[in-house]
């Protein structure tokens, strides 16, 4: 163990969980000797312990949902060094990287859930399941031929862990798959295109699945020009972050009836009651449920257990954002 690692370990004494239930579940999985060097406390905007001073918090675990109020407390935590997320995306705390904090994500925890939802949204929209649900409410028997996922040209934008899991789940459907990432390269699945190639790829994409991180480069990546290059009746599926899509531009395309959309994430979020997306045709909305499944809790407990063990032993956490 390096001198730098030892010094880092000696400076971390307290790990703050967002609630007592999550802390207790992690404690139950770690023998006392594997957490002897750190105190596991509770500190968040929703649940603060009277015994925990802001100055005591060295590592802060953010709440899974509605983390904004706890993020606002961070400037008060004078000794804070590391922020652990329960999400894959780190865009809400990206500014902390410039301020010298260590940020670690929950990469891997949400992979299966988000990938299966992406495939479910594609199938539901192509096969008209959303329309069938509406017809059922009005007791209407509306038989019509729908598009199959089989033989579709699918473009995945994002080739990280979740993007790869989506690609794997699409393999049995006999599709023509194209992938785009932040740079062109090759991997075990074959060719990966760069973003500069999108203009020649989009006119052939019948289904576009977005699973790219939200960064300066991907903010409103899907704008009016992007959408205009898609063929008529193309389906846009967003399971990444709402702001990857220019919502106003998408609404215009959906209102015209030219494109279809299945969106688990939107901008703004949550979607206001009077927002036009609620009433656009050809649109299927789910309320950001991609990774929030029964598989989430055991996996996040397992990951945070490993993070505590590593910090206790003077090691760096997993999934540090560089």
């Amino acid at each position: 163990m390096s001198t730098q690692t030892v010094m880092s370990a000696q400076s971390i004494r307290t790990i703050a969980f967002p609630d007592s239930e999550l802390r207790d579940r992690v404690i139950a999985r770690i023998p006392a000797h594997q957490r002897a060097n750190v105190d596991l406390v509770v500190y968040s905007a929703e649940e603060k312990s009277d015994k925990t001073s802001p100055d005591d918090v060295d590592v802060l675990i953010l709440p899974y949902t509605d983390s904004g109020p706890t993020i606002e407390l961070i400037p008060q935590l004078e000794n804070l060094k590391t922020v652990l997320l329960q999400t894959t995306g780190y865009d809400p705390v990206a500014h902390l990287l410039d301020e010298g904090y260590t940020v670690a994500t929950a990469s891997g925890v949400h992979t299966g859930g988000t990938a299966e939802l992406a495939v479910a949204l594609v199938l539901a929209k192509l096969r008209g399941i959303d329309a069938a649900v509406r017809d059922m409410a009005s007791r209407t028997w509306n038989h019509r031929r729908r598009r199959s996922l089989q033989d579709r040209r699918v473009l995945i934008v994002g080739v990280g862990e979740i993007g790869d899991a989506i690609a794997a789940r699409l393999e049995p459907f006999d599709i023509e798959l194209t992938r785009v990432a932040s740079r062109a390269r090759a991997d075990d699945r074959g060719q990966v295109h760069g973003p500069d190639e999108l203009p020649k790829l989009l006119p052939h994409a019948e289904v576009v699945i977005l699973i790219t991180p939200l960064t300066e480069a991907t903010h409103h990546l899907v704008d009016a020009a992007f959408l205009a290059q898609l063929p008529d009746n193309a389906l846009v599926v967003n399971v990444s972050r709402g702001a990857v899509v220019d919502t106003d531009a998408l609404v215009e395309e959906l209102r015209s009836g030219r494109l279809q959309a299945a969106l688990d994430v939107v901008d703004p979020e949550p979607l206001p009651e009077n927002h036009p997306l609620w009433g656009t045709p050809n649109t299927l909305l789910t309320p950001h449920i991609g990774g929030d499944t029964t598989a989430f809790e055991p996996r996040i407990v397992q990951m945070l257990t490993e993070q505590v063990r590593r910090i206790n032993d003077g090691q760096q956490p997993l999934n540090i954002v560089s």
Side-chain angles (χ1 to χ4, degrees):
M1 188 180 296
S2 68
T3 303
Q4 183 177 0
T5 303
V6 172
M7 291 177 63
S8 175
Q10 290 176 342
S11 63
I12 293 180
R13 300 296 184 190
T14 304
I15 302 174
F17 285 73
D19 59 77
S20 55
E21 180 181 357
L22 181 59
R23 181 197 60 181
D24 293 346
R25 291 188 66 185
V26 170
I27 287 176
R29 293 175 62 99
I30 309 179
H33 70 275
Q34 293 183 350
R35 50 183 169 84
N37 298 325
V38 291
D39 292 326
L40 307 184
V41 302
V42 174
Y43 190 90
S44 68
E46 292 74 22
E47 187 175 340
K48 296 180 184 178
S49 170
D50 294 336
K51 299 178 181 179
T52 304
S53 165
D55 295 340
D56 292 337
V57 178
D58 300 309
V59 177
L60 180 68
I61 302 172
L62 292 180
Y64 174 42
T65 59
D66 195 22
S67 61
T70 300
I71 293 172
E72 292 177 1
L73 296 177
I74 287 178
Q76 304 174 24
L77 310 181
E78 296 187 0
N79 293 312
L80 182 67
K81 303 168 184 66
T82 300
V83 176
L84 303 182
L85 307 179
Q86 297 188 59
T87 58
T88 304
Y90 62 90
D91 44 288
V93 293
H95 62 284
L96 297 179
L97 299 173
D98 296 329
E99 299 172 20
Y101 294 97
T102 297
V103 175
T105 72
S107 178
V109 169
H110 303 278
T111 301
T114 305
E116 71 184 24
L117 181 67
V119 176
L121 289 173
V122 172
L123 288 169
K125 201 74 194 74
L126 290 179
R127 298 303 301 268
I129 304 301
D130 55 332
V133 170
R134 290 190 290 271
D135 289 339
M136 187 174 177
S138 61
R139 303 190 179 196
T140 301
W141 187 267
N142 185 17
H143 177 93
R144 55 178 292 193
R145 178 170 292 176
R146 298 281 185 175
R147 285 191 294 174
S148 173
L149 176 53
Q150 190 175 29
D151 301 331
R152 297 281 71 78
R153 296 187 298 271
V154 179
L155 174 66
I156 298 179
V157 181
V159 190
E161 188 174 70
I162 300 177
D164 189 60
I166 294 172
R169 284 157 175 77
L170 289 173
E171 281 182 355
F173 287 96
D174 295 329
I175 64 165
E176 181 182 322
L177 180 63
T178 304
R179 297 174 301 147
V180 173
S182 58
R183 59 180 178 84
R185 57 186 184 272
D187 63 15
D188 293 342
R189 295 191 183 278
Q191 183 179 9
V192 177
H193 299 269
D196 58 310
E197 299 178 79
L198 280 170
K200 72 177 184 182
L201 299 174
L202 291 174
H204 305 285
E206 297 173 287
V207 178
V208 177
I209 302 174
L210 306 169
I211 188 55
T212 181
L214 177 60
T215 65
E216 290 184 7
T218 62
H219 182 268
H220 284 190
L221 170 69
V222 182
D223 56 10
F226 182 110
L227 295 169
Q229 295 174 82
L230 292 172
D232 290 352
N233 212 27
L235 170 61
V236 177
V237 178
N238 192 4
V239 288
S240 56
R241 286 290 186 265
V244 170
V245 176
D246 180 338
T247 303
D248 292 341
L250 180 60
V251 166
E252 288 304 309
E253 289 281 11
L254 294 172
R255 277 175 167 167
S256 74
R258 196 181 77 82
L259 296 180
Q260 301 193 41
L263 311 171
D264 185 50
V265 290
V266 292
D267 181 29
E269 193 173 298
L271 200 62
E273 184 178 354
N274 61 350
H275 197 279
L277 262 180
W278 286 117
T280 52
N282 302 327
T283 306
L284 172 60
L285 298 174
T286 54
H288 201 155
I289 58 173
D292 198 1
T293 71
T294 53
F296 165 68
E297 288 193 3
R299 282 165 173 76
I300 195 62
V301 169
Q302 180 180 358
M303 171 161 284
L304 292 177
T305 297
E306 180 60 23
Q307 299 288 47
V308 170
R309 286 194 182 113
R310 293 176 69 89
I311 293 170
N312 181 79
D313 294 343
Q315 300 176 15
Q316 293 288 338
L318 299 169
N319 303 327
I320 290 178
V321 179
S322 59

